[in-house]
């Protein structure tokens, strides 16, 4: 299955929950720093979103750098959002209840999709909610307390972020202050969809994601901001690490269920 993008077909994988529709739709963007990952590596996340949130999930295999630097991945992702809205009925989905979700670079991508929908005059009708987890919103400044505290973190430190950044912006369009690259540089934060923004306590990206949440709230967007204490980058989605039986007692399915609860509330009341 694929959407037609500016460079050709954009591979998609659709996950449908059990039961009869029409179900809400999540367009899901995987993490990996715009360089790594895909629908195979992140299939567990997409499948769990579908089953735990009771939604159709359209997982997007957007183009990766350095072979395809910015804006190729953004263009692919936008084509996928349009495809999901136009083909909702064929996959038991409801185009009037469409959300975007992603972790890390995919979280950034979902924020960018909402901005593009606004630019194209398709808000608030297109994207009804957004759920970025641990998104990058400013990989230019590097001056937040979380960068200072976790710069040398083994899981994802400042050097790792710089490596991803270098590859993503290796093309001719390489302005890190372009809000379609890093959304915290937007000049207007109004008119964006209700947002659940999830950050990790032990993450260099924590503060910039929370700053973005503040910008949205200041401009009238409904925001739920959740900082996951004790968690590192994206770990709250890792069923292989957190299945409820470990020392922490945490079950990653809780994260997915909380996303589902937020989305169903957003679709019903906002």
């Amino acid at each position: 299955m694929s959407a037609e993008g500016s460079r050709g077909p954009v591979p998609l994988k659709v996950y449908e929950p059990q039961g009869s529709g029409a179900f809400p739709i999540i367009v899901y963007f995987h993490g990996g720093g715009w360089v790594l990952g895909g629908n195979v590596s992140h299939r567990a996340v997409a499948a769990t979103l579908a089953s735990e949130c009771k939604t159709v999930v359209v997982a997007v295999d957007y183009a990766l750098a350095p072979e395809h630097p910015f804006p190729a991945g953004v263009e692919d992702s936008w084509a996928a959002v349009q495809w999901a809205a136009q083909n909702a009925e064929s996959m038991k989905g409801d185009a009037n209840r469409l959300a975007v979700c992603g972790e890390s670079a995919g979280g950034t991508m979902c924020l960018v999709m909402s901005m593009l929908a606004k630019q194209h005059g398709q808000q608030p009708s297109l994207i009804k909610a957004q759920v970025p987890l641990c998104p990058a919103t400013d990989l230019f400044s590097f001056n937040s307390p979380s960068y200072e505290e976790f710069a040398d973190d083994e899981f994802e430190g400042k050097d790792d972020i710089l490596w991803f950044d270098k590859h993503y912006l290796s093309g001719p369009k390489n302005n890190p202050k372009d809000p379609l690259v890093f959304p915290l540089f937007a000049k207007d934060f109004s008119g964006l969809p209700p947002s659940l923004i999830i950050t990790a306590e032990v993450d260099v990206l924590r503060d910039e994601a929370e700053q973005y949440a503040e910008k949205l709230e200041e401009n009238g967007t409904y925001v739920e901001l959740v900082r996951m204490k004790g968690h590192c980058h994206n770990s709250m989605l890792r069923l292989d690490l957190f299945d409820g039986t470990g020392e922490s007692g945490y079950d990653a399915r809780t994260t997915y269920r909380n996303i589902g609860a937020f989305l169903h509330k957003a679709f019903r009341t906002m």
Side-chain angles (χ1 to χ4, degrees), residues 33-35 64-72 162-176 181-182:
W34 308 281
V35 176
L64 299 176
E67 293 82 1
H68 303 289
F70 174 85
L162 287 170
W163 185 84
F164 288 125
D165 196 7
K166 177 183 72 173
H167 288 301
Y168 188 45
L169 296 179
S170 60
K173 296 183 178 180
N174 58 5
N175 178 10
V181 177
F182 299 126

Side-chain angles (χ1 to χ4, degrees), residues 184-227:
L184 197 57
F185 290 103
K187 300 211 182 321
D188 181 8
F189 294 86
S190 64
L192 294 167
S195 306
L196 170 61
I197 298 178
I198 299 175
T199 65
E201 181 181 26
V202 185
D203 186 4
V204 289
L205 302 182
R206 181 195 69 203
D207 292 349
E208 63 193 63
E210 294 179 358
Q211 288 169 22
Y212 191 81
E214 291 172 8
K215 291 286 188 182
L216 290 179
E217 200 162 32
E218 288 169 1
N219 285 271
T221 293
Y222 177 81
V223 177
E224 292 185 13
L225 174 62
V226 178
R227 180 189 288 188

Side-chain angles (χ1 to χ4, degrees), residues 1 4 24 45-46 51 68 117 129 133 164 177 204 211 213 252:
M1 198 168 291
E4 192 56 41
V45 176
S51 62
H68 303 289
L133 297 96
F164 288 125
K177 292 188 176 182
V204 289
Q211 288 169 22

Side-chain angles (χ1 to χ4, degrees), residues 46-261:
T48 308
L49 280 171
S51 62
E52 296 294 340
C53 300
K54 302 297 185 285
T55 61
V56 172
V57 172
V58 179
V60 185
D61 236 341
Y62 55 87
L64 299 176
E67 293 82 1
H68 303 289
F70 174 85
V74 169
E75 292 170 351
D76 283 358
S77 298
W78 179 242
V81 171
Q82 299 294 310
W83 182 94
Q86 294 162 7
N87 292 275
E89 189 173 344
S90 68
M91 53 185 176
K92 301 194 298 185
D94 179 2
N96 293 314
R97 293 183 292 162
L98 186 148
V100 289
C101 177
E103 83 279 10
S104 192
T108 308
M109 202 67 82
C110 89
L111 295 176
V112 169
M113 292 303 102
S114 296
M115 293 170 59
L116 279 175
K118 177 183 168 183
Q119 287 182 17
H120 287 277
Q122 297 184 39
Q123 281 301 102
S125 61
L126 180 59
I127 297 173
K128 297 301 179 16
Q130 58 181 4
V131 183
L133 297 96
C134 305
T137 66
D138 172 10
L139 296 192
F140 175 78
S141 303
F142 299 109
N143 59 3
S144 69
S146 61
Y147 260 107
E148 294 177 10
E149 187 173 359
F150 305 117
D152 298 321
D153 185 69
E154 290 183 9
F155 188 77
E156 182 164 84
K158 183 176 179 180
D159 288 345
D160 302 303
I161 296 295
L162 287 170
W163 185 84
F164 288 125
D165 196 7
K166 177 183 72 173
H167 288 301
Y168 188 45
L169 296 179
S170 60
K173 296 183 178 180
N174 58 5
N175 178 10
K177 292 188 176 182
D178 182 338
L180 296 183
V181 177
F182 299 126
L184 197 57
F185 290 103
K187 300 211 182 321
D188 181 8
F189 294 86
S190 64
L192 294 167
S195 306
L196 170 61
I197 298 178
I198 299 175
T199 65
E201 181 181 26
V202 185
D203 186 4
V204 289
L205 302 182
R206 181 195 69 203
D207 292 349
E208 63 193 63
E210 294 179 358
Q211 288 169 22
Y212 191 81
E214 291 172 8
K215 291 286 188 182
L216 290 179
E217 200 162 32
E218 288 169 1
N219 285 271
T221 293
Y222 177 81
V223 177
E224 292 185 13
L225 174 62
V226 178
R227 180 189 288 188
M228 301 291 292
K229 294 193 179 301
H231 280 269
C232 62
H233 189 69
N234 296 340
S235 67
M236 68 289 295
L237 292 171
R238 295 281 301 274
L239 289 165
D240 57 325
L241 297 178
F242 299 102
D243 63 359
T245 63
E247 184 177 343
S248 72
Y250 186 74
D251 188 338
R253 277 178 285 266
T254 303
T255 302
Y256 294 91
R257 290 167 187 160
N258 290 342
I259 292 170

